[in-house]
């Protein structure tokens, strides 16, 4: 089987599994327990946070919390930031549903929520951002790498303008598809940054949120007060150490995924457009006049797994993000996403490209 759906999730690595096993069986103790075994696990959690902080290019100062997913991290970042008399909230139209749907929920509740358009490359449109940002803006969320197109937003540029116009606004970024793949040291003016383990060969069900200043955030769930009272619930020591295993294996060498992506693009046939051209890990292709879902299932019959867009919008015919980029409707329907991992090979790329070309030519002839 060939797996080209790594933006959806990745296969767990050996080093994650080793830690998960160790901290599920031998060191399973509750990190909040006051005996030594519990205290040791608490120390281990802080050690993992330090490793993550280093990877984010920041110093660890009790400024990272673990969550049950990046979805949860995004929800805490947004909903936890809201205060009475909050000003405008700005989000991009490219956001993952965990941000976009939270923003829509707040808009329905009466908050002043606006969305920044995307340009034809899938990046948040800077001119539109400049038009919409005001002195009254309280919260800005710009994702780092788009999960459907791989488009990369230049966060530093957005932050520069924010600093001039509304220096006290909170700046959040969803870093899920960037972390561990795109080498980037967090800009000192990023307040909140969300990440997830399962996109980088770690376990599912564990995310983290970097929080520059904990005083600016309120909890959205209440309980035993774990994670500086910002994310109650017994710490998932096994998955946290599993996250560590994945982070320890990060290498920013993307030569093999670049070669795979380039090979596929060069050898594709038919009437298609490539959407976005940022992250080498993601390739979004839109064919004219054929159905992307049919392609996904035809490839599946050939033991090749890809997706339509994000896994979360897998079964929907429309595509909010591609439409926002201005892609015509007859291409939107024919969209698929190939996403790569360090384990994929050029031989796999050759097989997938050949099968893809065959499927497209069959569907065109129908
Ligand atoms: N943000 C982005 C950009 C993603 O790609 C994903 C996963 O698809 C998420 C957030 C949600 O991550 P999780 O599965 O950890 O909730």
């Amino acid at each position: 089987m060939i797996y080209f759906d790594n933006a959806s999730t990745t296969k767990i690595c050996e080093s994650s599994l080793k830690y998960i096993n160790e901290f599920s069986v031998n060191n399973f103790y509750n990190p909040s327990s006051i005996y030594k075994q519990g205290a040791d696990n608490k120390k281990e959690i802080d050690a993992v946070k330090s490793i993550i902080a280093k990877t984010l290019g920041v110093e660890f100062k009790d400024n990272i919390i673990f969550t049950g997913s990046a979805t949860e991290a995004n929800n805490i970042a947004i909903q936890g930031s809201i205060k009475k008399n909050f000003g405008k909230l700005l989000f991009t139209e490219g956001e993952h549903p965990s941000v976009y749907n939270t923003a829509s929920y707040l808009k329905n509740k009466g908050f002043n929520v606006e969305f920044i358009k995307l340009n034809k490359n899938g990046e948040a449109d800077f001119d539109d951002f400049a038009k919409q940002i005001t002195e009254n803006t309280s919260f800005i969320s710009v994702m780092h790498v788009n999960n459907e197109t791989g488009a990369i937003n230049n966060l530093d540029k957005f932050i520069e303008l924010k600093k001039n116009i509304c220096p006290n606004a909170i700046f959040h970024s969803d870093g899920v598809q960037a972390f561990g793949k795109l080498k980037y040291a967090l800009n000192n003016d990023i307040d909140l940054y969300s990440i997830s383990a399962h996109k980088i060969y770690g376990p599912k069900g564990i995310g983290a949120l970097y929080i520059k200043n904990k005083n600016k955030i309120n909890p959205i769930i209440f309980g035993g007060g774990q994670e500086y009272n910002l994310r109650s619930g017994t710490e998932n020591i096994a998955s946290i150490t599993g996250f560590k295993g994945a982070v320890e294996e990060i290498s920013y060498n993307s030569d093999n995924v670049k070669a795979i992506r380039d090979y596929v693009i060069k050898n594709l046939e038919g009437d298609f457009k490539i959407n976005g051209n940022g992250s080498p890990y993601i390739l979004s292709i839109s064919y004219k006049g054929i159905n992307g879902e049919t392609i996904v299932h035809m490839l599946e019959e050939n033991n090749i797994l890809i997706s339509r867009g994000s896994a979360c919008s897998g079964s929907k015919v429309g595509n909010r993000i591609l439409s926002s980029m201005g892609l015509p409707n007859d291409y939107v329907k024919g969209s698929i996403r190939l996403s790569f991992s360090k384990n994929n090979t050029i031989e796999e790329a050759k097989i997938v490209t050949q099968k893809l070309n065959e499927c497209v030519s069959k569907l065109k002839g129908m």
Side-chain angles (χ1 to χ4, degrees), residues 77-78 81 86-92 95 99 114 116 124 129-130 132-143 155 158-174 189-193:
I78 302 164
S81 291
F86 213 49
K88 192 180 201 177
L89 294 94
L90 280 178
F91 298 88
T92 85
E95 298 299 318
V99 171
E114 296 296 339
I116 305 156
F129 176 66
Q132 298 213 50
I133 190 171
T134 66
E135 278 175 19
N136 183 37
T137 301
S138 297
F139 189 91
I140 298 165
S141 187
V142 177
M143 77 191 313
L155 299 182
F158 286 84
I159 289 164
E160 233 11 74
L161 189 63
K162 177 223 112 131
K163 274 165 68 183
N164 287 336
I165 298 190
C166 47
N168 294 325
I170 296 173
F171 192 95
H172 166 249
S173 182
D174 175 346
D189 286 282
I190 289 182
D191 296 292
L192 300 157
Y193 194 80

Side-chain angles (χ1 to χ4, degrees), residues 7 69-71 74 96 98 143 147 174 176-177 196 198-199:
S69 61
T71 296
N74 284 336
H96 181 270
S98 55
M143 77 191 313
N147 49 297
D174 175 346
V176 168
Q177 298 289 347
S196 186
H198 75 104
K199 310 290 185 180

Side-chain angles (χ1 to χ4, degrees), residues 20 213 234:
I20 289 171
N213 181 351
T234 302

